[in-house]
Structures are given as structure tokens and as C-alpha cells.
Amino acid sequence: MALTEETLQDKIEVVGDYKAVQVRTATVIKRDGTEISRSFHRHVLQCSTKTGDTWADTDISGESTEVQAICNAVWSDAVKTAYQTAMDAQETP
């Protein structure tokens, strides 16, 4: 009886006005080639991050090439500026 574990990104979605990229990763356990368990983990990437008063592009270097390609395709300068403006407006008392 051989158990194997496989991890794969089974869903990548672009959502909202600011093109958040949602990534779902599945961990699949198989016994003799037959799936016996599947669990999921999700994470969301925004186009920019803020440290103090400084905005920077989100570091996507640790993501898969597919996720990087999607982020680079949808995160235009206009999207980044709109996102940063919206987030700054929420911080203003």
C-alpha cells in the first residue's frame, strides 16, 4: 500500500476592481493511485503593499510562474494607482 501526497494550484481567480488574485492550493493524498483525501489552502495577493507611508509592488517572486504571469497581466499601473488611492482614503480619519 503506497501513500503519495501531491500539492497543486487548482484554482486561480482574479476578483474585484483592484484585481486581487486568489490562489487555491490543493493537497491530495492518494493510496495506490486512488484519492483518499483532499484539503485546500487559499491566499490572496493584492497589487501593492504599504510599509509606513511608502507603497511598493507586491513581491510575487515566490509564486508559481502561472500566478506571476496572471499578476503581471492584470496589475496595470492604473489598477495599482486606483488601489493605493482607495486604501489611502480608508486610512484618512
Side-chain angles (χ1 to χ4, degrees):
M1 171 173 31
L3 288 177
T4 59
E5 180 177 318
E6 176 184 21
T7 302
L8 57 115
Q9 291 178 335
D10 67 336
K11 187 179 282 192
I12 302 169
E13 302 171 306
V14 177
V15 295
D17 293 337
Y18 309 116
K19 310 302 184 205
V21 177
Q22 296 182 150
V23 182
R24 184 174 83 174
T25 303
T27 301
V28 181
I29 308 295
K30 294 182 180 180
R31 179 184 300 132
D32 296 328
T34 301
E35 184 177 321
I36 60 171
S37 174
R38 180 179 292 247
S39 61
F40 301 102
H41 170 79
R42 290 181 182 268
H43 67 279
V44 179
L45 300 165
Q46 298 291 352
C47 59
S48 299
T49 57
K50 188 174 185 180
T51 304
D53 290 331
T54 306
W55 282 101
D57 290 349
T58 298
D59 179 9
I60 56 174
S61 62
E63 300 295 330
S64 69
T65 55
E66 185 177 12
V67 170
Q68 288 180 31
I70 291 168
C71 291
N72 289 328
V74 299
W75 290 348
S76 66
D77 288 341
V79 168
K80 293 174 191 176
T81 299
Y83 175 73
Q84 293 166 6
T85 301
M87 294 304 104
D88 285 342
Q90 288 181 5
E91 291 179 3
T92 304

